[in-house]
Amino acid sequence: MKRIALLTSGGDAPGMNAAVRAVVRVALYNGIEVMGIRRGYAGLLEKDIFMMDRSSVSDIIQRGGTVLRTARCDDFKKLECQKKAVDILDDYGIHSLIVIGGDGSFRGAQDLAKLGVSTIGIPGTIDNDLAYTDRTIGFDTALNTVHEAVNKLRDTSTSHGRVSIIEVMGRNCGDIALYSGIACGAESIIIPEKGYDKDELIENILTGKRKGKLHNIIVLAEGVGGAYELAEYVENKTGLEARATVLGHIQRGGSPTVPDIILASRFGARAVELLIEGKSSRVVGVHENKIIDLDIDDALAKERVFDSELYHLAEVLSL
Ligand code: ADP
Ligand code: F6P
């Protein structure tokens, strides 16, 4: 194996650049050339491919986003497009590809593997929604972003004695809400894995008021959604003022935290090693601080186990 290619795909995540850097540097260290593909599978189909060198990844370890840029490309789900991609890779003398992204990106990598390209996936998404790995690149940074934002909202909520409903990202996964909710000392955390009872929520807010709480912080996962409607409902039912804030894409930006940079560097290094070992159709992950790798299909088939203990802890701590 003399040459590999690398792309980032799906939603960007802070730390992706650190993974890109690690892939390039570990490959070069082992005498392997790296071609960068811009804008994910869309760029691959448009031959947006260039040779990377040591300096292509200088000064990016601390930067958010992805220097390779990213895209969502629906066409890539079609077999004809995947075959075209294989031909393009072949023209460039590329038979091995590392894909940094989420489950959708991994499905694309698996399709390419079935057509003969050696592929390895690196989990890069703020959502932390992949069951096979304890952490995905970007999750820790997103939590810190939410933490900072909620602390600011808490100041103004306290001053006004308001209820603050903060909607955070995560698609159908409640991890960003659950972990940030604990870190922010939220009074309530609403996540799709658990659902919620509106009457209980109102009772909780009124109990908090009776106890003398000056604010009420509710972290709501986007998988449940409806922050503005919920704020209106809370106002009507409690007589308290309520404000909704949808944090949105701010959660995807910013410099990665140290844990994300280190995780991304370890993932990038292991992905290259797997290709050197002749492996394909695998994804890297982390479990109990050890880097692991699994078959892509097995990894995607794993079902997430809801951490009910952590959810219970959040309830107890918000007493
Ligand atoms: P993520 O990788 O973050 O989950 P998406 O679900 O949007 O993000 O997937 C990213 C890209 O991966 C898609 O735009 C598409 O190009 C590719 N992809 C997603 N699902 C498949 C699939 N079933 N087969 C082939 N490619 C796919
Ligand atoms: O998967 C990352 C994520 O930020 C989700 O949390 C969110 O639902 C989605 O991407 C937003 O996608 P887009 O950037 O296409 O609006």
Side-chain angles (χ1 to χ4, degrees):
M1 189 184 58
K2 288 269 177 287
R3 177 177 286 182
I4 64 172
L6 169 65
L7 60 81
T8 50
S9 164
D12 62 350
M16 277 185 167
N17 282 328
V20 168
R21 171 179 177 269
V23 167
V24 171
R25 296 263 164 105
V26 174
L28 294 178
Y29 179 84
N30 286 283
I32 298 163
E33 290 177 338
V34 184
M35 301 213 73
I37 300 171
R38 293 191 191 90
R39 293 179 297 110
Y41 296 119
L44 171 54
L45 293 172
E46 289 167 28
K47 304 187 188 177
D48 198 349
I49 302 173
F50 66 105
M51 185 62 78
M52 300 184 84
D53 60 23
R54 200 202 59 81
S55 65
S56 321
V57 292
S58 296
D59 207 16
I60 67 166
I61 190 169
Q62 78 288 10
R63 280 162 59 187
T66 160
V67 291
L68 289 179
R69 309 201 43 226
T70 187
R72 302 202 203 263
C73 170
D74 256 354
D75 268 358
F76 204 73
K77 293 176 186 166
K78 296 180 196 151
L79 181 62
E80 60 188 274
C81 290
Q82 295 160 8
K83 283 185 174 162
K84 185 178 163 195
V86 175
D87 290 342
I88 291 170
L89 289 171
D90 211 35
D91 288 346
Y92 281 86
I94 297 164
H95 305 289
S96 306
L97 174 69
I98 294 177
V99 170
I100 307 174
D103 60 334
S105 304
F106 289 173
R107 286 195 175 88
Q110 184 67 322
D111 290 341
L112 288 176
K114 284 180 187 143
L115 296 173
V117 181
S118 298
T119 57
I120 304 291
I122 297 178
T125 164
I126 63 165
D127 298 339
N128 207 43
D129 58 350
L130 296 164
Y132 79 91
T133 181
D134 293 348
R135 287 285 173 275
T136 56
I137 298 170
F139 177 61
D140 187 72
T141 308
L143 289 183
N144 281 279
T145 302
V146 174
H147 183 242
E148 190 183 341
V150 174
N151 284 344
K152 288 179 176 163
L153 289 167
R154 180 195 285 270
D155 288 345
T156 170
S157 298
T158 304
S159 304
H160 288 262
R162 283 174 175 160
V163 177
S164 186
I165 298 164
I166 303 110
E167 185 174 313
V168 300
M169 279 187 168
R171 273 185 211 266
N172 299 318
C173 175
D175 274 18
I176 295 181
L178 178 57
Y179 284 77
S180 69
I182 290 176
C184 298
E187 268 69 31
S188 300
I189 298 171
I190 304 175
I191 52 178
E193 292 87 341
K194 192 76 187 159
Y196 76 112
D197 182 300
K198 274 190 171 174
D199 293 336
E200 241 176 65
L201 180 77
I202 298 300
E203 191 45 45
N204 202 10
I205 294 168
L206 292 172
T207 308
K209 181 78 187 158
R210 281 195 292 273
K211 284 180 189 162
K213 287 195 181 197
L214 295 178
H215 57 248
N216 200 293
I217 305 287
I218 300 169
V219 179
L220 168 72
E222 70 171 348
V224 177
Y228 293 103
E229 295 77 8
L230 185 58
E232 210 179 307
Y233 182 82
V234 166
E235 285 202 341
N236 289 337
K237 290 283 178 183
T238 64
L240 297 168
E241 278 193 317
R243 293 288 184 271
T245 307
V246 178
L247 286 186
H249 287 81
I250 196 167
Q251 294 162 92
R252 287 247 294 270
S255 293
T257 57
V258 169
D260 268 334
I261 293 173
I262 291 171
L263 188 66
S265 302
R266 293 174 79 194
F267 281 165
R270 186 66 191 130
V272 175
E273 282 166 17
L274 286 169
L275 287 176
I276 292 171
E277 290 165 16
K279 306 262 175 61
S280 175
S281 299
R282 300 199 71 81
V283 283
V284 296
V286 63
H287 183 56
E288 292 173 354
N289 201 28
K290 297 266 182 304
I291 301 299
I292 54 166
D293 61 277
L294 273 84
D295 174 78
I296 296 183
D297 284 334
D298 292 345
L300 292 179
K302 282 211 180 242
E303 290 205 12
R304 299 191 78 251
V305 180
F306 176 58
D307 194 340
S308 47
E309 267 182 42
L310 200 58
Y311 185 82
H312 179 62
L313 174 67
E315 284 181 319
V316 172
L317 295 181
S318 68
L319 203 70

